[in-house]
Amino acid sequence: QVELTESGGGLVQPGGSLRLSCVTSGRTFSIYTMAWFRQAPGKEREFVTSINYANTRTYFIESVKGRFTISRDNAKSTLYLQMNSVRPEDTAVYYCAQCQTPAQSPCETYGYWGQGTQVTVSS
């Protein structure tokens, strides 16, 4: 059974920092491309960033470039999202996702999802 569990969300002031974690189990973490998505109130879920299975390539949406960093620790089967200089528009539920197909980059379909962690940016 594949499980993805996010943590680290919370309330943060504009300009502050937050680090999200996603612990996975059930599959060999190191061979899957991973990603973070987010869903703001009243909006569709959107892709934020991904890191390939080889840990050699990352992708970011334009609005978070230079502020967010994605990383992975294969020994701990954990994905991270370091969020710096956060803005009110970063407020959303953040989901980690695992590619359905091993060793695929870029990933075509993310088949496994966590339950999400709420990030609220407000003063």
Side-chain angles (χ1 to χ4, degrees), residues 87-109:
R87 305 167 180 169
E89 53 264 39
D90 295 321
T91 295
V93 177
Y94 283 73
Y95 299 89
C96 71
Q98 188 173 69
C99 195
Q100 184 166 302
T101 304
Q104 186 177 74
S105 178
C107 177
E108 294 183 358
T109 303

Side-chain angles (χ1 to χ4, degrees), residues 28-104:
T28 304
F29 178 77
S30 62
I31 64 173
Y32 292 96
T33 292
M34 299 292 297
W36 289 96
F37 289 73
R38 67 186 180 186
Q39 186 167 19
K43 296 187 177 181
E44 293 189 355
R45 186 158 54 187
E46 67 169 349
F47 169 87
V48 177
T49 177
S50 66
I51 184 167
N52 71 344
Y53 64 94
N55 202 14
T56 57
R57 184 165 292 182
T58 58
Y59 296 94
F60 296 88
I61 57 173
E62 195 63 35
S63 62
V64 307
K65 281 183 180 178
R67 301 189 297 121
F68 289 11
T69 302
I70 187 171
S71 61
R72 62 191 298 159
D73 185 335
N74 289 340
K76 296 182 178 180
S77 298
T78 302
L79 179 72
Y80 300 100
L81 180 66
Q82 178 67 43
M83 306 169 63
N84 296 330
S85 302
V86 296
R87 305 167 180 169
E89 53 264 39
D90 295 321
T91 295
V93 177
Y94 283 73
Y95 299 89
C96 71
Q98 188 173 69
C99 195
Q100 184 166 302
T101 304
Q104 186 177 74

